[in-house]
Amino acid sequence: MDAADHALMVAMLPCPDIDEMAGFWTALGLSITYHQQRPNPYVALKRGGIDLHYFGMPGVAPEDSYSTCMILVPDTGALYDLFTSGLRSLYGKVPVTGFPRITRPRKRANNAGLSGFSVVDPAGNWVRVSRLPDARHQPRAVDDRVEWVSAGGGRLAVAVENAVVMADSHGDVPQALRILSGAIGKHDGPPTELAPALAYLAELQVRAGQPDAARQTLDRLTGLATDDTLGPEDLATVRQALGEAEEAVAGSEPPDDLAGRAGAGTDPI
């Protein structure tokens, strides 16, 4: 038996206020398992196989954070629903800008097509959530790069994949906007292909600090959702995309009690 077979590795992240982190994560469904203020501030939180530990570091600024960790789960959607329910109860919205914020689960072509999202906590730490790999989804390196796994589809679907990698993995929201805006401008396919791309475009525009553009995109989606030529299944696809865009626009403002130190925020990792 290897010495590490029964090991447990726990993330330890910095924050200026452990009580703020405790309040944040307990609202999102975790429980405090340890708490001390002296001699050094430290708090531990847990839910199932998730262990998050924070140590106090006075003066650490969320916009300067490079700290990150990963949670692997069988179903990213279930954990996203849990976290967003907590965010709504805490802030009355699902924040997509500032600190804290959350991204929506999307398949990552640079992660074997596995779904993933990120929670950026009030201290600026990135808690990344990814679906557990299975036999069909195993990220692997090819030469000096990660193997690209496309979900298929036309030019617009591939553009969405490219934009997700740029914005949600690399933190380059402006480049993601350029990729997706250009592809949408050239699209001449059905509304069911256009609607998911518009939903992500609205989210990117919010994250880029372009609320007026995001509302225009939302209006465009609203128009698609009132198209009486669409069948029930197509209409459901469009309305789901509209709901995602509405949530992104509604969460465009930082929570009031954190607004003084919130920023647009992109992933530095």
Side-chain angles (χ1 to χ4, degrees):
M1 181 175 62
D2 188 274
D5 282 348
H6 298 289
L8 176 65
M9 185 173 179
V10 178
M12 300 170 64
L13 304 172
C15 68
D17 185 344
I18 62 167
D19 290 331
E20 179 183 33
M21 304 312 302
F24 176 75
W25 283 110
T26 54
L28 270 61
L30 277 66
S31 297
I32 298 172
T33 59
Y34 181 82
H35 181 280
Q36 73 170 39
Q37 286 289 353
R38 292 182 296 273
N40 301 301
Y42 195 90
V43 65
L45 301 112
K46 184 177 180 66
R47 184 183 178 106
I50 300 173
D51 283 279
L52 280 176
H53 291 204
Y54 287 90
F55 59 92
M57 181 181 287
V60 62
E63 59 271 16
D64 296 332
S65 175
Y66 282 81
S67 299
T68 187
C69 64
M70 179 172 285
I71 301 172
L72 298 173
V73 290
D75 181 5
T76 57
L79 197 59
Y80 177 81
D81 290 343
L82 174 70
F83 287 168
T84 52
S85 176
L87 289 167
R88 289 189 188 95
S89 69
L90 195 57
Y91 303 116
K93 64 182 74 173
V94 178
V96 295
T97 62
F99 305 99
R101 63 184 184 273
I102 191 170
T103 65
R104 180 174 290 277
R106 287 189 170 86
K107 292 182 178 180
R108 307 287 177 86
N110 63 342
N111 190 30
L114 296 169
S115 174
F117 70 94
S118 296
V119 177
V120 184
D121 68 26
N125 303 292
W126 279 68
V127 179
R128 302 168 185 269
V129 180
S130 179
R131 209 194 83 186
L132 278 165
D134 55 27
R136 296 183 301 109
H137 301 85
Q138 288 289 341
R140 67 186 184 93
V142 178
D143 298 325
D144 60 347
R145 60 183 175 81
V146 176
E147 181 183 34
W148 183 271
V149 179
S150 173
R155 181 181 300 173
L156 185 56
V158 172
V160 172
E161 291 179 343
N162 288 337
V164 167
V165 171
M166 293 307 301
D168 294 359
S169 290
H170 300 310
D172 193 343
V173 173
Q175 179 62 16
L177 271 172
R178 285 190 287 270
I179 292 170
L180 193 53
S181 297
I184 288 174
K186 298 175 182 176
H187 180 68
D188 58 1
T192 50
E193 294 179 3
L194 179 60
L198 287 174
Y200 191 42
L201 179 66
E203 180 181 321
L204 291 175
Q205 289 167 332
V206 166
R207 288 160 63 180
Q210 302 173 6
D212 292 341
R215 292 187 186 94
Q216 291 175 3
T217 301
L218 182 60
D219 290 343
R220 189 174 175 184
L221 263 172
T222 302
L224 291 180
T226 57
D227 186 348
D228 56 12
T229 66
L230 296 177
E233 290 186 5
D234 290 348
L235 191 58
T237 298
V238 173
R239 286 178 174 170
Q240 178 179 340
L242 175 61
E244 293 178 6
E246 288 174 336
E247 185 173 74
V249 172
S252 60
E253 294 301 323
D256 292 341
D257 58 335
L258 296 174
R261 59 186 182 86
T266 55
D267 183 358
I269 306 299

